[in-house]
């Protein structure tokens, strides 16, 4: 199997990358036991409950050169994943974890945005389970391939790589999840590799890429990677649990990791047998070499012999590698936004726009319309003007609480995907933020419209008021979404965000002037109404939805005066609500831009 290269890098060796790591030492942190763990599990308590650290890598050094496919072998706990994550600028070291040493690209510190030249296949496959394979590849092609490429050329590139990895037949299939039927584990793993191969990275790191693959499929995947390394002068480093003898023949270089994160051997795969024999550990007859190597590394006395021999053998000095050739820039900001918005809208069909949400909204409209049926019609059931105020309150409540809870999981549910893709520098956080705003528009516009089309005629609101009430509902819904987004982006945990949103909404609702006349409260308390967007929302709805009811039948002005809604002008209420929503949106962007929860730690 051959892997066609991008035209921009068709010349062998053009802009190739050599990766070196020198004396990389990593300490992995673990959180101290919680109180519940100490009480129920008998966990010990340290003097200061500081994070516990253990050595995951111990002065590990090695390299992978252009044209090489290097295999990293070692028993569980040898630090293979930790080393790959550090080399790929995605350290996962836990609380208090840290690492020291040097990672060099072409014998120099990595340049800015070098991650665009790096493909990293994580051990965990992270995708949106609602998308199909074709949709995921289309998005990856739109964000990873050069901006000068036409859409047709991107589609061809995605189809080529999908065919190389045997994914053509599953392009229409949904990716699925652990609880929803979709791709098999091996197909998801191949999709993970396919996405990273789309832009033909100059350096490719893969953490257990053969997990879930049968021997035949594993061989075809490795054969494609080997062809890419040879023909394109690419550097490839991957970890494998225990390769078969057929797979073993495809590797050029071998990196053996002993427990404790120590490198026991680094060199040609064909020379490893002689090295083990020189240490008094010859390969038994009829044994698969990697089986023997891993068994020796797992035995402490034999591993000690290998480490001693490794210490006596000096490492070869790194050469400079090829010259760094700047690649064509990724798609422009507008193209990133279009790709992200398209994916977001497809994803929203299974989340925010799911039928259950519509059932909830329409049923609430019918219930309130029935209970307040023709509340202001001549001879209607309403005996008091307060009945009209009550239905308006529930309208404000619906378009405050509903949108807030719809948006609660917006960022936490996408955290893993966002962290993974941002680490590859395939799009900017600004493009993601703008696309997220665009994806909210259908929910923001359509649901209030359907709700009011049912409710307002039932409660006998004059048709001339419909546009103003709909505009007010849109504005309140937008502010509520903005508040929820800011909290969600700040917390990044749905359960925690739910608690914070409930507290914030109850505060705003109680200060809004419906339940208590805030103007009559002591000065130390009454001012809080100005901090509640409900205060201005109820004032806005009073002007557009309640004053039209001011008739001899209902003295609505007198009724409104019994509440402490905003007494500002209509324009000022709108301006304050716009200011609130804008401030929440700015906070959302700042939280996303600066959040450490969207970075590997």
């Amino acid at each position: 199997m051959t892997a066609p290269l991008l035209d921009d890098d068709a010349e062998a060796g053009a802009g190739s990358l050599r990766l070196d790591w020198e004396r990389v030492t990593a300490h992995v942190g673990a959180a101290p036991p919680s109180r519940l763990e100490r009480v129920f599990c008998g966990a010990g308590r340290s003097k200061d409950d500081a994070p516990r650290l253990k050595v995951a890598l111990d002065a590990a050094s090695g390299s992978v050169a252009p044209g090489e496919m290097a295999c990293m072998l070692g028993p569980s706990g040898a630090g293979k994943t930790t080393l790959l994550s550090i080399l790929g600028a995605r350290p996962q070291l836990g609380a208090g974890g840290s690492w020291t040493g040097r990672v060099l690209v072409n014998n120099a510190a990595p340049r800015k945005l070098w991650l665009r030249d790096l493909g990293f296949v994580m051990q965990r496959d992270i995708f949106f389970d609602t998308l199909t394979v074709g949709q995921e590849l289309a998005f990856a092609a739109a964000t990873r391939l050069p901006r000068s490429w036409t859409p047709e050329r991107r589609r061809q590139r995605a189809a080529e790589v999908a065919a190389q990895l045997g994914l053509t037949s599953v392009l229409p299939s949904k990716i699925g999840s652990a609880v929803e039927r979709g791709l098999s584990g091996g197909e998801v793993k191949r999709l993970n590799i396919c996405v990273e191969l789309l832009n033909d990275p100059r350096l490719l790191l893969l953490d257990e890429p053969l997990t879930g693959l049968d021997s035949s499929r594993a061989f075809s995947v490795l054969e494609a990677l080997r062809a890419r390394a040879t023909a394109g002068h690419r550097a490839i480093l991957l970890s494998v649990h225990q390769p078969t003898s057929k797979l073993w023949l495809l590797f050029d270089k071998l990196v053996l990791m002993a427990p404790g994160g120590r490198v026991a051997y680094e060199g040609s795969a064909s020379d490893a047998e002689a090295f083990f024999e020189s240490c008094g550990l010859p390969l038994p007859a009829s044994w698969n070499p990697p089986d023997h190597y891993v068994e020796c590394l797992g035995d402490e006395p034999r591993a000690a012999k290998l480490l001693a021999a490794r210490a006596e053998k000096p490492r070869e000095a790194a050469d400079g590698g090829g010259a760094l050739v700047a690649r064509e820039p990724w798609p422009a900001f507008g193209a990133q936004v279009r790709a992200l918005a398209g994916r977001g809208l497809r994803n929203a069909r299974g989340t925010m726009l799911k039928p259950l949400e519509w059932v909830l909204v329409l049923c609430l409209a019918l219930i309130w319309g029935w209970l307040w049926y023709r509340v202001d019609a001549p001879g209607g059931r309403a005996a008091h003007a307060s009945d009209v105020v009550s239905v308006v309150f529930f309208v404000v409540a619906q378009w405050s609480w509903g949108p807030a809870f719809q948006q609660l999981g917006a960022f936490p549910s996408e955290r893993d995907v966002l962290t993974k893709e941002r680490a590859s520098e395939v799009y900017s956080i600004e493009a993601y933020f703008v696309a997220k705003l665009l994806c909210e528009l259908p929910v923001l516009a359509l649901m209030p419209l359907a709700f009011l089309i049912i409710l307002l005629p039932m409660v006998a609101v004059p048709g001339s008021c419909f546009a103003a009430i709909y505009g007010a509902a849109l504005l309140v819904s937008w502010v509520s979404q903005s508040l929820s987004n800011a909290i969600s982006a700040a917390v990044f945990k749905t359960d925690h965000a739910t608690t914070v949103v409930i507290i914030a909404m109850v505060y705003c609702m109680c200060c809004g002037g419906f339940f208590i006349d805030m103007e009559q409260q002591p000065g130390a308390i009454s001012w809080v109404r100005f901090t509640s967007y409900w205060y201005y929302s109820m004032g806005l709805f009073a002007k557009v939805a309640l004053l039209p009811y001011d008739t001899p039948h209902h003295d609505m002005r007198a009724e409104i005066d019994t509440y402490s809604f905003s007494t500002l002008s209509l324009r000022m209420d709108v301006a304050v609500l716009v200011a609130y929503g804008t401030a929440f949106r700015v906070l959302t962007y700042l939280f996303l831009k600066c959040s450490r929860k969207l970075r590997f730690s």
Side-chain angles (χ1 to χ4, degrees), residues 407-416 418 432-433 436 440 484-490 492-494 585 588-589 592 598:
Q407 294 297 314
L408 268 181
F411 297 118
S413 65
E414 299 182 5
R415 176 184 175 181
D416 290 347
L418 181 57
Y432 173 80
F433 177 70
K436 198 71 176 173
E440 294 173 4
S484 182
N485 278 340
I487 294 173
S488 179
F492 263 107
K493 287 187 177 180
T494 303
R585 295 289 174 171
T588 302
Y589 167 72
L592 290 174
L598 296 178

PDB file of all heavy atoms in Angstrom, residues 407-416 418 432-433 436 440 484-490 492-494 585 588-589 592 598:
ATOM      1  N   GLN A 407     -28.222  25.117  27.583  1.00  0.00           N
ATOM      2  CA  GLN A 407     -26.833  25.439  27.305  1.00  0.00           C
ATOM      3  C   GLN A 407     -25.853  24.929  28.356  1.00  0.00           C
ATOM      4  O   GLN A 407     -24.645  25.086  28.192  1.00  0.00           O
ATOM      5  CB  GLN A 407     -26.679  26.965  27.193  1.00  0.00           C
ATOM      6  CG  GLN A 407     -27.386  27.580  26.008  1.00  0.00           C
ATOM      7  CD  GLN A 407     -26.813  27.070  24.690  1.00  0.00           C
ATOM      8  OE1 GLN A 407     -25.613  27.012  24.502  1.00  0.00           O
ATOM      9  NE2 GLN A 407     -27.689  26.695  23.776  1.00  0.00           N
ATOM     10  N   LEU A 408     -26.354  24.335  29.421  1.00  0.00           N
ATOM     11  CA  LEU A 408     -25.472  23.945  30.523  1.00  0.00           C
ATOM     12  C   LEU A 408     -24.363  23.001  30.081  1.00  0.00           C
ATOM     13  O   LEU A 408     -23.216  23.130  30.500  1.00  0.00           O
ATOM     14  CB  LEU A 408     -26.288  23.289  31.638  1.00  0.00           C
ATOM     15  CG  LEU A 408     -26.782  24.216  32.733  1.00  0.00           C
ATOM     16  CD1 LEU A 408     -27.548  23.418  33.772  1.00  0.00           C
ATOM     17  CD2 LEU A 408     -25.626  24.939  33.386  1.00  0.00           C
ATOM     18  N   GLY A 409     -24.699  22.037  29.231  1.00  0.00           N
ATOM     19  CA  GLY A 409     -23.701  21.062  28.823  1.00  0.00           C
ATOM     20  C   GLY A 409     -22.987  21.416  27.544  1.00  0.00           C
ATOM     21  O   GLY A 409     -22.251  20.585  26.992  1.00  0.00           O
ATOM     22  N   ALA A 410     -23.187  22.642  27.052  1.00  0.00           N
ATOM     23  CA  ALA A 410     -22.630  23.014  25.754  1.00  0.00           C
ATOM     24  C   ALA A 410     -21.119  22.857  25.706  1.00  0.00           C
ATOM     25  O   ALA A 410     -20.577  22.289  24.753  1.00  0.00           O
ATOM     26  CB  ALA A 410     -23.030  24.451  25.414  1.00  0.00           C
ATOM     27  N   PHE A 411     -20.437  23.348  26.702  1.00  0.00           N
ATOM     28  CA  PHE A 411     -18.976  23.270  26.713  1.00  0.00           C
ATOM     29  C   PHE A 411     -18.454  22.007  27.401  1.00  0.00           C
ATOM     30  O   PHE A 411     -17.535  21.370  26.875  1.00  0.00           O
ATOM     31  CB  PHE A 411     -18.387  24.529  27.347  1.00  0.00           C
ATOM     32  CG  PHE A 411     -18.695  25.771  26.574  1.00  0.00           C
ATOM     33  CD1 PHE A 411     -19.433  26.807  27.133  1.00  0.00           C
ATOM     34  CD2 PHE A 411     -18.263  25.921  25.269  1.00  0.00           C
ATOM     35  CE1 PHE A 411     -19.729  27.954  26.414  1.00  0.00           C
ATOM     36  CE2 PHE A 411     -18.555  27.056  24.534  1.00  0.00           C
ATOM     37  CZ  PHE A 411     -19.282  28.071  25.118  1.00  0.00           C
ATOM     38  N   PRO A 412     -19.000  21.597  28.561  1.00  0.00           N
ATOM     39  CA  PRO A 412     -18.492  20.347  29.159  1.00  0.00           C
ATOM     40  C   PRO A 412     -18.597  19.139  28.238  1.00  0.00           C
ATOM     41  O   PRO A 412     -17.700  18.301  28.218  1.00  0.00           O
ATOM     42  CB  PRO A 412     -19.379  20.182  30.398  1.00  0.00           C
ATOM     43  CG  PRO A 412     -19.771  21.572  30.770  1.00  0.00           C
ATOM     44  CD  PRO A 412     -19.948  22.296  29.461  1.00  0.00           C
ATOM     45  N   SER A 413     -19.691  19.045  27.461  1.00  0.00           N
ATOM     46  CA  SER A 413     -19.854  17.888  26.584  1.00  0.00           C
ATOM     47  C   SER A 413     -18.850  17.887  25.435  1.00  0.00           C
ATOM     48  O   SER A 413     -18.591  16.842  24.833  1.00  0.00           O
ATOM     49  CB  SER A 413     -21.283  17.861  26.017  1.00  0.00           C
ATOM     50  OG  SER A 413     -21.508  18.991  25.182  1.00  0.00           O
ATOM     51  N   GLU A 414     -18.286  19.040  25.115  1.00  0.00           N
ATOM     52  CA  GLU A 414     -17.337  19.137  24.013  1.00  0.00           C
ATOM     53  C   GLU A 414     -15.906  19.323  24.492  1.00  0.00           C
ATOM     54  O   GLU A 414     -15.001  19.533  23.684  1.00  0.00           O
ATOM     55  CB  GLU A 414     -17.726  20.303  23.095  1.00  0.00           C
ATOM     56  CG  GLU A 414     -19.090  20.150  22.462  1.00  0.00           C
ATOM     57  CD  GLU A 414     -19.440  21.296  21.521  1.00  0.00           C
ATOM     58  OE1 GLU A 414     -18.567  22.161  21.303  1.00  0.00           O
ATOM     59  OE2 GLU A 414     -20.566  21.321  21.000  1.00  0.00           O
ATOM     60  N   ARG A 415     -15.711  19.244  25.802  1.00  0.00           N
ATOM     61  CA  ARG A 415     -14.384  19.555  26.344  1.00  0.00           C
ATOM     62  C   ARG A 415     -13.295  18.644  25.784  1.00  0.00           C
ATOM     63  O   ARG A 415     -12.229  19.115  25.369  1.00  0.00           O
ATOM     64  CB  ARG A 415     -14.429  19.441  27.864  1.00  0.00           C
ATOM     65  CG  ARG A 415     -13.074  19.647  28.521  1.00  0.00           C
ATOM     66  CD  ARG A 415     -13.127  19.427  30.018  1.00  0.00           C
ATOM     67  NE  ARG A 415     -11.806  19.502  30.619  1.00  0.00           N
ATOM     68  CZ  ARG A 415     -11.562  19.323  31.903  1.00  0.00           C
ATOM     69  NH1 ARG A 415     -12.561  19.070  32.720  1.00  0.00           N
ATOM     70  NH2 ARG A 415     -10.331  19.386  32.364  1.00  0.00           N
ATOM     71  N   ASP A 416     -13.540  17.332  25.765  1.00  0.00           N
ATOM     72  CA  ASP A 416     -12.505  16.411  25.320  1.00  0.00           C
ATOM     73  C   ASP A 416     -12.149  16.635  23.854  1.00  0.00           C
ATOM     74  O   ASP A 416     -10.968  16.660  23.481  1.00  0.00           O
ATOM     75  CB  ASP A 416     -12.961  14.969  25.536  1.00  0.00           C
ATOM     76  CG  ASP A 416     -13.015  14.594  27.004  1.00  0.00           C
ATOM     77  OD1 ASP A 416     -12.475  15.356  27.833  1.00  0.00           O
ATOM     78  OD2 ASP A 416     -13.602  13.548  27.337  1.00  0.00           O
ATOM     79  N   LEU A 418     -12.664  19.365  22.076  1.00  0.00           N
ATOM     80  CA  LEU A 418     -12.061  20.692  21.924  1.00  0.00           C
ATOM     81  C   LEU A 418     -10.600  20.681  22.373  1.00  0.00           C
ATOM     82  O   LEU A 418      -9.727  21.256  21.706  1.00  0.00           O
ATOM     83  CB  LEU A 418     -12.862  21.714  22.727  1.00  0.00           C
ATOM     84  CG  LEU A 418     -12.390  23.176  22.667  1.00  0.00           C
ATOM     85  CD1 LEU A 418     -12.345  23.677  21.236  1.00  0.00           C
ATOM     86  CD2 LEU A 418     -13.305  24.058  23.507  1.00  0.00           C
ATOM     87  N   TYR A 432     -13.957  28.856  17.014  1.00  0.00           N
ATOM     88  CA  TYR A 432     -14.865  27.974  17.757  1.00  0.00           C
ATOM     89  C   TYR A 432     -15.947  28.777  18.465  1.00  0.00           C
ATOM     90  O   TYR A 432     -17.131  28.409  18.443  1.00  0.00           O
ATOM     91  CB  TYR A 432     -14.067  27.156  18.766  1.00  0.00           C
ATOM     92  CG  TYR A 432     -14.917  26.344  19.711  1.00  0.00           C
ATOM     93  CD1 TYR A 432     -15.473  25.136  19.314  1.00  0.00           C
ATOM     94  CD2 TYR A 432     -15.176  26.790  21.005  1.00  0.00           C
ATOM     95  CE1 TYR A 432     -16.256  24.385  20.185  1.00  0.00           C
ATOM     96  CE2 TYR A 432     -15.958  26.050  21.879  1.00  0.00           C
ATOM     97  CZ  TYR A 432     -16.494  24.854  21.459  1.00  0.00           C
ATOM     98  OH  TYR A 432     -17.280  24.124  22.319  1.00  0.00           O
ATOM     99  N   PHE A 433     -15.560  29.894  19.086  1.00  0.00           N
ATOM    100  CA  PHE A 433     -16.514  30.716  19.829  1.00  0.00           C
ATOM    101  C   PHE A 433     -17.573  31.307  18.901  1.00  0.00           C
ATOM    102  O   PHE A 433     -18.772  31.262  19.194  1.00  0.00           O
ATOM    103  CB  PHE A 433     -15.755  31.820  20.555  1.00  0.00           C
ATOM    104  CG  PHE A 433     -16.630  32.782  21.311  1.00  0.00           C
ATOM    105  CD1 PHE A 433     -17.297  32.383  22.447  1.00  0.00           C
ATOM    106  CD2 PHE A 433     -16.784  34.089  20.877  1.00  0.00           C
ATOM    107  CE1 PHE A 433     -18.109  33.264  23.140  1.00  0.00           C
ATOM    108  CE2 PHE A 433     -17.588  34.983  21.555  1.00  0.00           C
ATOM    109  CZ  PHE A 433     -18.254  34.560  22.692  1.00  0.00           C
ATOM    110  N   LYS A 436     -19.929  28.681  17.720  1.00  0.00           N
ATOM    111  CA  LYS A 436     -20.848  28.294  18.786  1.00  0.00           C
ATOM    112  C   LYS A 436     -22.015  29.280  18.873  1.00  0.00           C
ATOM    113  O   LYS A 436     -23.169  28.875  19.077  1.00  0.00           O
ATOM    114  CB  LYS A 436     -20.084  28.261  20.110  1.00  0.00           C
ATOM    115  CG  LYS A 436     -20.771  27.485  21.207  1.00  0.00           C
ATOM    116  CD  LYS A 436     -20.738  26.006  20.918  1.00  0.00           C
ATOM    117  CE  LYS A 436     -21.328  25.204  22.064  1.00  0.00           C
ATOM    118  NZ  LYS A 436     -21.452  23.774  21.719  1.00  0.00           N
ATOM    119  N   GLU A 440     -26.298  28.477  18.059  1.00  0.00           N
ATOM    120  CA  GLU A 440     -27.381  28.706  19.010  1.00  0.00           C
ATOM    121  C   GLU A 440     -28.585  29.383  18.363  1.00  0.00           C
ATOM    122  O   GLU A 440     -29.679  29.369  18.936  1.00  0.00           O
ATOM    123  CB  GLU A 440     -26.893  29.578  20.165  1.00  0.00           C
ATOM    124  CG  GLU A 440     -25.844  28.920  21.044  1.00  0.00           C
ATOM    125  CD  GLU A 440     -25.290  29.886  22.065  1.00  0.00           C
ATOM    126  OE1 GLU A 440     -25.785  31.025  22.128  1.00  0.00           O
ATOM    127  OE2 GLU A 440     -24.364  29.508  22.809  1.00  0.00           O
ATOM    128  N   SER A 484     -25.687  31.292  31.058  1.00  0.00           N
ATOM    129  CA  SER A 484     -25.403  29.873  31.190  1.00  0.00           C
ATOM    130  C   SER A 484     -24.083  29.507  30.518  1.00  0.00           C
ATOM    131  O   SER A 484     -23.303  28.703  31.041  1.00  0.00           O
ATOM    132  CB  SER A 484     -26.544  29.057  30.584  1.00  0.00           C
ATOM    133  OG  SER A 484     -26.322  27.677  30.742  1.00  0.00           O
ATOM    134  N   ASN A 485     -23.818  30.085  29.345  1.00  0.00           N
ATOM    135  CA  ASN A 485     -22.563  29.811  28.646  1.00  0.00           C
ATOM    136  C   ASN A 485     -21.364  30.259  29.473  1.00  0.00           C
ATOM    137  O   ASN A 485     -20.344  29.564  29.527  1.00  0.00           O
ATOM    138  CB  ASN A 485     -22.545  30.522  27.292  1.00  0.00           C
ATOM    139  CG  ASN A 485     -23.286  29.748  26.227  1.00  0.00           C
ATOM    140  OD1 ASN A 485     -23.496  28.551  26.356  1.00  0.00           O
ATOM    141  ND2 ASN A 485     -23.699  30.428  25.179  1.00  0.00           N
ATOM    142  N   ALA A 486     -21.467  31.434  30.081  1.00  0.00           N
ATOM    143  CA  ALA A 486     -20.353  31.946  30.887  1.00  0.00           C
ATOM    144  C   ALA A 486     -20.072  31.012  32.063  1.00  0.00           C
ATOM    145  O   ALA A 486     -18.913  30.698  32.367  1.00  0.00           O
ATOM    146  CB  ALA A 486     -20.665  33.355  31.380  1.00  0.00           C
ATOM    147  N   ILE A 487     -21.133  30.567  32.727  1.00  0.00           N
ATOM    148  CA  ILE A 487     -20.954  29.655  33.859  1.00  0.00           C
ATOM    149  C   ILE A 487     -20.397  28.317  33.390  1.00  0.00           C
ATOM    150  O   ILE A 487     -19.476  27.746  33.996  1.00  0.00           O
ATOM    151  CB  ILE A 487     -22.285  29.465  34.608  1.00  0.00           C
ATOM    152  CG1 ILE A 487     -22.713  30.788  35.259  1.00  0.00           C
ATOM    153  CG2 ILE A 487     -22.183  28.360  35.649  1.00  0.00           C
ATOM    154  CD1 ILE A 487     -24.089  30.752  35.876  1.00  0.00           C
ATOM    155  N   SER A 488     -20.928  27.805  32.278  1.00  0.00           N
ATOM    156  CA  SER A 488     -20.473  26.527  31.742  1.00  0.00           C
ATOM    157  C   SER A 488     -18.999  26.576  31.350  1.00  0.00           C
ATOM    158  O   SER A 488     -18.234  25.647  31.624  1.00  0.00           O
ATOM    159  CB  SER A 488     -21.326  26.142  30.529  1.00  0.00           C
ATOM    160  OG  SER A 488     -20.908  24.922  29.973  1.00  0.00           O
ATOM    161  N   ALA A 489     -18.576  27.677  30.706  1.00  0.00           N
ATOM    162  CA  ALA A 489     -17.179  27.812  30.285  1.00  0.00           C
ATOM    163  C   ALA A 489     -16.252  28.007  31.476  1.00  0.00           C
ATOM    164  O   ALA A 489     -15.076  27.620  31.425  1.00  0.00           O
ATOM    165  CB  ALA A 489     -17.031  28.980  29.315  1.00  0.00           C
ATOM    166  N   ALA A 490     -16.757  28.613  32.541  1.00  0.00           N
ATOM    167  CA  ALA A 490     -15.923  28.837  33.722  1.00  0.00           C
ATOM    168  C   ALA A 490     -15.737  27.561  34.529  1.00  0.00           C
ATOM    169  O   ALA A 490     -14.659  27.307  35.067  1.00  0.00           O
ATOM    170  CB  ALA A 490     -16.541  29.919  34.598  1.00  0.00           C
ATOM    171  N   PHE A 492     -16.876  24.091  33.532  1.00  0.00           N
ATOM    172  CA  PHE A 492     -16.575  22.944  32.679  1.00  0.00           C
ATOM    173  C   PHE A 492     -16.931  21.597  33.305  1.00  0.00           C
ATOM    174  O   PHE A 492     -16.334  20.576  32.987  1.00  0.00           O
ATOM    175  CB  PHE A 492     -15.104  22.936  32.245  1.00  0.00           C
ATOM    176  CG  PHE A 492     -14.919  23.527  30.872  1.00  0.00           C
ATOM    177  CD1 PHE A 492     -14.351  24.767  30.720  1.00  0.00           C
ATOM    178  CD2 PHE A 492     -15.329  22.842  29.742  1.00  0.00           C
ATOM    179  CE1 PHE A 492     -14.186  25.323  29.463  1.00  0.00           C
ATOM    180  CE2 PHE A 492     -15.172  23.376  28.479  1.00  0.00           C
ATOM    181  CZ  PHE A 492     -14.598  24.619  28.340  1.00  0.00           C
ATOM    182  N   LYS A 493     -17.899  21.608  34.214  1.00  0.00           N
ATOM    183  CA  LYS A 493     -18.472  20.377  34.728  1.00  0.00           C
ATOM    184  C   LYS A 493     -19.967  20.586  34.825  1.00  0.00           C
ATOM    185  O   LYS A 493     -20.425  21.522  35.490  1.00  0.00           O
ATOM    186  CB  LYS A 493     -17.900  20.017  36.099  1.00  0.00           C
ATOM    187  CG  LYS A 493     -16.471  19.501  36.059  1.00  0.00           C
ATOM    188  CD  LYS A 493     -16.040  19.001  37.429  1.00  0.00           C
ATOM    189  CE  LYS A 493     -14.632  18.425  37.379  1.00  0.00           C
ATOM    190  NZ  LYS A 493     -14.186  17.930  38.713  1.00  0.00           N
ATOM    191  N   THR A 494     -20.726  19.712  34.159  1.00  0.00           N
ATOM    192  CA  THR A 494     -22.169  19.936  34.063  1.00  0.00           C
ATOM    193  C   THR A 494     -22.844  19.954  35.420  1.00  0.00           C
ATOM    194  O   THR A 494     -23.710  20.795  35.684  1.00  0.00           O
ATOM    195  CB  THR A 494     -22.800  18.851  33.177  1.00  0.00           C
ATOM    196  OG1 THR A 494     -22.173  18.859  31.887  1.00  0.00           O
ATOM    197  CG2 THR A 494     -24.290  19.099  33.000  1.00  0.00           C
ATOM    198  N   ARG A 585     -21.215  37.190  27.226  1.00  0.00           N
ATOM    199  CA  ARG A 585     -20.531  36.593  26.071  1.00  0.00           C
ATOM    200  C   ARG A 585     -19.036  36.877  26.112  1.00  0.00           C
ATOM    201  O   ARG A 585     -18.212  36.012  25.781  1.00  0.00           O
ATOM    202  CB  ARG A 585     -21.131  37.137  24.770  1.00  0.00           C
ATOM    203  CG  ARG A 585     -22.573  36.755  24.540  1.00  0.00           C
ATOM    204  CD  ARG A 585     -22.725  35.283  24.218  1.00  0.00           C
ATOM    205  NE  ARG A 585     -24.133  34.904  24.142  1.00  0.00           N
ATOM    206  CZ  ARG A 585     -24.562  33.728  23.711  1.00  0.00           C
ATOM    207  NH1 ARG A 585     -23.700  32.812  23.333  1.00  0.00           N
ATOM    208  NH2 ARG A 585     -25.856  33.446  23.680  1.00  0.00           N
ATOM    209  N   THR A 588     -17.545  34.613  28.560  1.00  0.00           N
ATOM    210  CA  THR A 588     -17.451  33.260  28.001  1.00  0.00           C
ATOM    211  C   THR A 588     -16.203  33.113  27.151  1.00  0.00           C
ATOM    212  O   THR A 588     -15.458  32.125  27.274  1.00  0.00           O
ATOM    213  CB  THR A 588     -18.699  32.938  27.162  1.00  0.00           C
ATOM    214  OG1 THR A 588     -19.871  33.071  27.965  1.00  0.00           O
ATOM    215  CG2 THR A 588     -18.629  31.531  26.602  1.00  0.00           C
ATOM    216  N   TYR A 589     -15.964  34.079  26.271  1.00  0.00           N
ATOM    217  CA  TYR A 589     -14.777  34.021  25.415  1.00  0.00           C
ATOM    218  C   TYR A 589     -13.500  34.037  26.248  1.00  0.00           C
ATOM    219  O   TYR A 589     -12.574  33.259  25.988  1.00  0.00           O
ATOM    220  CB  TYR A 589     -14.788  35.199  24.440  1.00  0.00           C
ATOM    221  CG  TYR A 589     -13.466  35.393  23.746  1.00  0.00           C
ATOM    222  CD1 TYR A 589     -13.028  34.503  22.768  1.00  0.00           C
ATOM    223  CD2 TYR A 589     -12.624  36.452  24.095  1.00  0.00           C
ATOM    224  CE1 TYR A 589     -11.803  34.663  22.154  1.00  0.00           C
ATOM    225  CE2 TYR A 589     -11.403  36.619  23.480  1.00  0.00           C
ATOM    226  CZ  TYR A 589     -10.997  35.719  22.514  1.00  0.00           C
ATOM    227  OH  TYR A 589      -9.770  35.885  21.918  1.00  0.00           O
ATOM    228  N   LEU A 592     -12.941  30.698  27.873  1.00  0.00           N
ATOM    229  CA  LEU A 592     -12.467  29.705  26.904  1.00  0.00           C
ATOM    230  C   LEU A 592     -11.013  29.954  26.520  1.00  0.00           C
ATOM    231  O   LEU A 592     -10.214  29.018  26.403  1.00  0.00           O
ATOM    232  CB  LEU A 592     -13.348  29.740  25.650  1.00  0.00           C
ATOM    233  CG  LEU A 592     -14.771  29.216  25.778  1.00  0.00           C
ATOM    234  CD1 LEU A 592     -15.528  29.460  24.479  1.00  0.00           C
ATOM    235  CD2 LEU A 592     -14.778  27.735  26.118  1.00  0.00           C
ATOM    236  N   LEU A 598      -8.842  23.347  29.199  1.00  0.00           N
ATOM    237  CA  LEU A 598      -8.791  22.967  27.790  1.00  0.00           C
ATOM    238  C   LEU A 598      -7.367  22.675  27.344  1.00  0.00           C
ATOM    239  O   LEU A 598      -7.056  22.725  26.163  1.00  0.00           O
ATOM    240  CB  LEU A 598      -9.385  24.084  26.920  1.00  0.00           C
ATOM    241  CG  LEU A 598     -10.866  24.370  27.131  1.00  0.00           C
ATOM    242  CD1 LEU A 598     -11.324  25.513  26.249  1.00  0.00           C
ATOM    243  CD2 LEU A 598     -11.698  23.120  26.851  1.00  0.00           C
TER     244      LEU A 598
END
